[in-house]
Coordinates of all heavy atoms in Angstrom, one line a residue:
Chain A
T52 N 129.1 66.4 40.2 CA 129.5 67.8 40.6 C 131.0 67.9 41.0 O 131.6 66.8 41.1 CB 128.6 68.4 41.6 OG1 128.5 67.4 42.7 CG2 127.1 68.5 41.0
T53 N 131.4 69.0 41.3 CA 132.8 69.2 41.5 C 133.4 68.4 42.7 O 134.5 67.9 42.6 CB 133.1 70.7 41.7 OG1 132.2 71.2 42.8 CG2 132.8 71.6 40.5
S54 N 132.6 68.4 43.8 CA 133.1 67.6 44.9 C 132.4 66.3 45.1 O 132.6 65.7 46.2 CB 132.9 68.4 46.2 OG 133.6 69.7 46.2
S55 N 131.9 65.8 44.0 CA 131.2 64.5 44.0 C 130.0 64.5 44.9 O 129.5 63.4 45.3 CB 132.1 63.4 44.4 OG 133.3 63.3 43.6
D56 N 129.5 65.6 45.3 CA 128.3 65.8 46.2 C 127.1 65.2 45.5 O 126.2 64.5 46.1 CB 128.1 67.2 46.6 CG 129.2 67.7 47.5 OD1 129.9 66.9 48.1 OD2 129.3 68.9 47.6
Y57 N 126.9 65.4 44.2 CA 125.8 65.0 43.5 C 126.2 64.2 42.2 O 127.1 64.6 41.5 CB 124.9 66.2 43.0 CG 124.4 66.9 44.2 CD1 125.0 68.1 44.8 CD2 123.1 66.6 44.9 CE1 124.5 68.8 45.8 CE2 122.7 67.3 45.9 CZ 123.3 68.4 46.5 OH 122.8 69.0 47.5
K58 N 125.5 63.1 42.0 CA 125.7 62.4 40.8 C 124.3 62.1 40.2 O 123.4 61.8 40.9 CB 126.4 61.0 41.3 CG 127.7 61.3 42.0 CD 128.3 59.9 42.5 CE 129.6 60.1 43.2 NZ 130.2 58.9 43.7
Y59 N 124.3 62.1 38.9 CA 123.0 61.9 38.2 C 123.3 60.9 37.1 O 124.3 60.7 36.5 CB 122.6 63.2 37.5 CG 122.4 64.4 38.6 CD1 123.5 65.3 38.8 CD2 121.3 64.6 39.2 CE1 123.4 66.3 39.6 CE2 121.1 65.6 40.1 CZ 122.1 66.5 40.3 OH 121.9 67.5 41.2
Y60 N 122.1 60.1 36.9 CA 122.3 59.0 35.8 C 121.1 59.0 34.9 O 120.0 59.4 35.4 CB 122.4 57.7 36.6 CG 123.6 57.5 37.4 CD1 123.5 57.8 38.8 CD2 124.8 57.2 36.9 CE1 124.6 57.7 39.6 CE2 125.9 57.0 37.7 CZ 125.9 57.3 39.1 OH 126.9 57.2 39.9
A61 N 121.3 58.6 33.7 CA 120.2 58.4 32.8 C 119.4 57.1 33.2 O 120.1 56.2 33.9 CB 120.7 58.2 31.4
A62 N 118.2 57.2 33.0 CA 117.3 56.0 33.5 C 117.9 54.6 32.9 O 117.8 53.7 33.5 CB 115.9 56.2 33.1
S63 N 118.5 54.7 31.7 CA 118.9 53.5 31.0 C 120.1 52.9 31.7 O 120.5 51.7 31.4 CB 119.3 53.8 29.5 OG 120.2 54.9 29.5
V64 N 120.8 53.6 32.5 CA 122.0 53.1 33.1 C 122.0 53.1 34.7 O 122.9 52.5 35.3 CB 123.3 53.8 32.7 CG1 123.4 53.9 31.2 CG2 123.4 55.3 33.3
K65 N 121.0 53.7 35.3 CA 120.9 53.8 36.7 C 120.9 52.4 37.3 O 120.2 51.5 36.9 CB 119.6 54.6 37.1 CG 119.6 55.1 38.5 CD 118.5 56.2 38.7 CE 118.6 56.8 40.0 NZ 117.6 57.9 40.3
G66 N 121.7 52.3 38.4 CA 121.8 51.0 39.1 C 122.9 50.1 38.5 O 123.2 49.1 39.1
R67 N 123.4 50.4 37.3 CA 124.4 49.6 36.7 C 125.7 50.4 36.5 O 126.8 49.7 36.6 CB 123.9 49.1 35.3 CG 122.7 48.4 35.2 CD 122.3 47.7 33.9 NE 122.1 48.8 32.9 CZ 122.9 48.9 31.8 NH1 123.8 48.1 31.5 NH2 122.6 49.9 30.9
F68 N 125.6 51.6 36.3 CA 126.9 52.4 36.0 C 127.0 53.3 37.3 O 126.1 53.8 37.9 CB 126.7 53.4 34.9 CG 126.7 52.6 33.6 CD1 126.6 51.3 33.4 CD2 126.7 53.4 32.4 CE1 126.6 50.7 32.2 CE2 126.7 52.8 31.1 CZ 126.7 51.4 31.1
T69 N 128.3 53.6 37.5 CA 128.7 54.6 38.7 C 129.8 55.5 38.2 O 130.8 55.1 37.7 CB 129.2 53.8 39.9 OG1 128.3 52.8 40.3 CG2 129.7 54.7 41.0
I70 N 129.4 56.8 38.4 CA 130.4 57.9 38.0 C 131.2 58.2 39.2 O 130.7 58.3 40.4 CB 129.7 59.1 37.4 CG1 130.6 60.0 36.7 CG2 128.8 59.7 38.4 CD1 129.9 61.2 36.0
S71 N 132.5 58.6 39.0 CA 133.3 59.0 40.1 C 134.4 60.0 39.6 O 134.6 60.0 38.3 CB 133.9 57.9 41.0 OG 134.7 57.2 40.1
R72 N 135.1 60.6 40.5 CA 136.1 61.4 40.1 C 137.2 61.5 41.1 O 136.9 61.3 42.3 CB 135.7 62.8 39.7 CG 135.1 63.6 40.9 CD 134.4 65.0 40.5 NE 135.3 65.9 39.9 CZ 135.0 66.9 39.1 NH1 133.7 67.1 38.8 NH2 135.9 67.7 38.7
D73 N 138.4 61.9 40.7 CA 139.5 62.0 41.6 C 140.2 63.3 41.3 O 140.9 63.4 40.3 CB 140.6 60.9 41.6 CG 141.6 60.9 42.6 OD1 142.0 62.1 43.0 OD2 142.3 59.9 42.8
N74 N 139.9 64.4 42.0 CA 140.3 65.7 41.8 C 141.9 65.7 41.8 O 142.5 66.6 41.2 CB 139.7 66.8 42.5 CG 138.2 67.0 42.1 OD1 137.8 66.6 41.1 ND2 137.4 67.5 43.0
A75 N 142.5 65.0 42.8 CA 143.9 65.1 42.9 C 144.6 64.5 41.7 O 145.7 64.9 41.4 CB 144.3 64.3 44.2
K76 N 143.9 63.6 41.0 CA 144.5 63.0 39.8 C 144.0 63.5 38.5 O 144.3 63.1 37.4 CB 144.3 61.5 39.8 CG 145.0 60.8 40.9 CD 144.8 59.3 40.8 CE 145.5 58.6 41.9 NZ 145.4 57.1 41.9
N77 N 143.1 64.5 38.6 CA 142.5 65.2 37.4 C 141.9 64.2 36.5 O 142.0 64.2 35.3 CB 143.5 66.0 36.6 CG 144.0 67.3 37.3 OD1 143.3 67.7 38.2 ND2 145.0 67.8 36.9
S78 N 141.1 63.3 37.1 CA 140.5 62.2 36.4 C 139.1 61.9 36.7 O 138.6 62.2 37.9 CB 141.3 60.9 36.8 OG 142.6 60.9 36.2
L79 N 138.3 61.4 35.7 CA 136.9 61.1 35.8 C 136.8 59.6 35.4 O 137.6 59.1 34.6 CB 136.1 61.9 34.8 CG 134.6 61.7 34.6 CD1 133.9 62.2 35.9 CD2 134.1 62.4 33.4
Y80 N 135.8 59.0 36.0 CA 135.7 57.5 35.8 C 134.2 57.2 35.6 O 133.3 57.8 36.0 CB 136.2 56.7 37.0 CG 137.7 57.1 37.4 CD1 137.9 57.9 38.5 CD2 138.7 56.6 36.6 CE1 139.1 58.3 38.8 CE2 140.0 57.0 37.0 CZ 140.2 57.7 38.1 OH 141.5 58.1 38.5
L81 N 134.0 56.1 34.9 CA 132.7 55.5 34.8 C 132.8 53.9 34.9 O 133.4 53.3 34.0 CB 132.0 55.8 33.4 CG 130.6 55.4 33.3 CD1 129.7 56.3 34.2 CD2 130.1 55.6 31.8
Q82 N 132.4 53.5 36.0 CA 132.3 52.1 36.2 C 131.0 51.5 35.6 O 130.0 51.9 36.0 CB 132.4 51.7 37.7 CG 132.3 50.2 38.1 CD 133.5 49.4 37.5 OE1 134.7 49.9 37.7 NE2 133.2 48.3 37.0
M83 N 131.1 50.6 34.7 CA 130.0 50.0 34.0 C 129.8 48.5 34.3 O 130.7 47.8 34.0 CB 130.1 50.3 32.5 CG 130.3 51.7 32.1 SD 130.3 52.0 30.4 CE 131.7 51.1 29.9
N84 N 128.7 48.2 35.0 CA 128.5 46.7 35.3 C 127.3 46.3 34.6 O 126.5 47.1 34.0 CB 128.3 46.6 36.8 CG 129.5 47.1 37.6 OD1 130.7 46.9 37.1 ND2 129.2 47.5 38.9
S85 N 127.1 45.0 34.5 CA 126.0 44.4 33.9 C 125.7 45.0 32.6 O 124.5 45.2 32.2 CB 124.7 44.5 34.8 OG 124.8 44.1 36.1
L86 N 126.8 44.9 31.7 CA 126.7 45.5 30.4 C 125.8 44.7 29.5 O 125.7 43.5 29.6 CB 128.1 45.7 29.8 CG 128.8 46.9 30.5 CD1 130.4 46.7 30.2 CD2 128.3 48.1 29.8
R87 N 125.1 45.5 28.7 CA 124.1 44.9 27.8 C 124.6 45.3 26.3 O 125.3 46.3 26.1 CB 122.7 45.4 28.0 CG 122.3 45.3 29.4 CD 120.9 45.7 29.7 NE 120.5 47.0 29.3 CZ 119.8 47.8 29.9 NH1 119.3 47.4 31.1 NH2 119.3 49.0 29.4
A88 N 124.0 44.6 25.3 CA 124.3 45.0 23.9 C 124.0 46.4 23.5 O 124.7 47.0 22.8 CB 123.6 44.0 23.0
D89 N 122.9 47.0 24.2 CA 122.6 48.3 23.8 C 123.4 49.3 24.5 O 123.1 50.6 24.4 CB 121.0 48.4 24.1 CG 120.6 48.3 25.5 OD1 121.5 48.0 26.3 OD2 119.5 48.5 25.8
D90 N 124.3 48.9 25.3 CA 125.4 49.8 25.8 C 126.5 50.1 24.9 O 127.4 50.9 25.1 CB 126.0 49.3 27.2 CG 124.9 49.2 28.3 OD1 124.1 50.2 28.4 OD2 124.8 48.2 29.0
T91 N 126.6 49.3 23.8 CA 127.6 49.5 22.7 C 127.5 50.9 22.2 O 126.5 51.4 21.8 CB 127.3 48.5 21.7 OG1 127.7 47.2 22.2 CG2 128.4 48.8 20.6
A92 N 128.6 51.6 22.3 CA 128.7 53.0 22.0 C 130.1 53.6 22.1 O 130.9 52.9 22.8 CB 127.7 53.9 22.8
V93 N 130.2 54.7 21.5 CA 131.4 55.6 21.9 C 131.0 56.4 23.1 O 130.0 57.1 23.1 CB 131.8 56.5 20.6 CG1 133.0 57.4 21.1 CG2 132.3 55.7 19.5
Y94 N 131.9 56.4 24.1 CA 131.6 57.2 25.3 C 132.6 58.3 25.3 O 133.8 58.2 25.2 CB 131.9 56.2 26.5 CG 130.8 55.3 26.7 CD1 130.6 54.1 25.9 CD2 129.8 55.4 27.7 CE1 129.5 53.3 26.1 CE2 128.7 54.5 27.9 CZ 128.7 53.4 27.1 OH 127.6 52.6 27.2
Y95 N 131.9 59.5 25.4 CA 132.7 60.8 25.5 C 132.8 61.3 26.9 O 131.7 61.3 27.7 CB 132.0 61.9 24.6 CG 132.0 61.6 23.1 CD1 130.9 61.1 22.5 CD2 133.2 61.8 22.4 CE1 130.9 60.8 21.1 CE2 133.2 61.5 21.1 CZ 132.0 61.0 20.4 OH 132.1 60.8 19.1
C96 N 133.9 61.8 27.3 CA 134.0 62.6 28.5 C 133.8 64.1 28.2 O 134.4 64.5 27.2 CB 135.5 62.3 29.1 SG 136.1 63.4 30.4
V97 N 133.0 64.8 28.9 CA 132.6 66.1 28.5 C 132.7 67.0 29.8 O 132.1 66.7 30.8 CB 131.1 66.1 28.1 CG1 130.7 67.5 27.6 CG2 130.9 65.1 26.9
R98 N 133.2 68.2 29.6 CA 133.4 69.2 30.6 C 132.2 70.1 30.6 O 131.9 70.7 29.6 CB 134.7 69.9 30.5 CG 135.0 70.8 31.7 CD 136.2 71.8 31.4 NE 135.6 73.0 30.9 CZ 136.4 74.1 30.8 NH1 137.7 74.1 31.0 NH2 135.9 75.2 30.3
D99 N 131.7 70.5 31.8 CA 130.6 71.5 31.9 C 131.3 72.8 31.8 O 132.4 73.1 32.3 CB 129.9 71.4 33.2 CG 128.6 70.7 33.1 OD1 128.3 70.2 32.0 OD2 127.9 70.6 34.1
S100 N 130.6 73.8 31.3 CA 131.0 75.2 31.5 C 130.7 75.7 32.9 O 129.8 75.1 33.6 CB 130.1 76.1 30.5 OG 130.2 77.4 30.9
L101 N 131.4 76.6 33.4 CA 131.2 77.2 34.7 C 129.9 78.0 34.7 O 129.3 78.2 35.8 CB 132.4 78.1 35.2 CG 133.7 77.5 35.5 CD1 134.7 78.5 35.8 CD2 133.6 76.5 36.6
A102 N 129.4 78.4 33.5 CA 128.2 79.3 33.3 C 127.0 78.5 33.8 O 126.0 79.1 34.4 CB 128.1 79.8 32.0
A103 N 126.9 77.2 33.4 CA 125.7 76.5 33.7 C 126.0 75.0 33.6 O 126.7 74.5 32.8 CB 124.6 76.8 32.6
P104 N 125.3 74.2 34.6 CA 125.4 72.8 34.4 C 124.7 72.3 33.3 O 123.6 72.8 32.9 CB 124.7 72.3 35.7 CG 123.8 73.4 36.2 CD 124.5 74.7 35.7

Side-chain angles (χ1 to χ4, degrees):
Chain A
T52 53
T53 54
S54 299
S55 305
D56 293 340
Y57 295 94
K58 303 176 183 181
Y59 304 93
Y60 300 94
S63 57
V64 307
K65 197 166 188 177
R67 301 186 300 122
F68 290 11
T69 302
I70 192 170
S71 63
R72 65 190 295 162
D73 185 336
N74 288 342
K76 294 183 177 179
N77 291 340
S78 293
L79 176 72
Y80 306 101
L81 186 68
Q82 176 66 42
M83 303 186 295
N84 298 331
S85 303
L86 282 161
R87 310 185 304 220
D89 62 358
D90 294 319
T91 295
V93 174
Y94 285 74
Y95 294 102
C96 170
V97 184
R98 191 193 90 171
D99 262 6
S100 166
L101 291 174

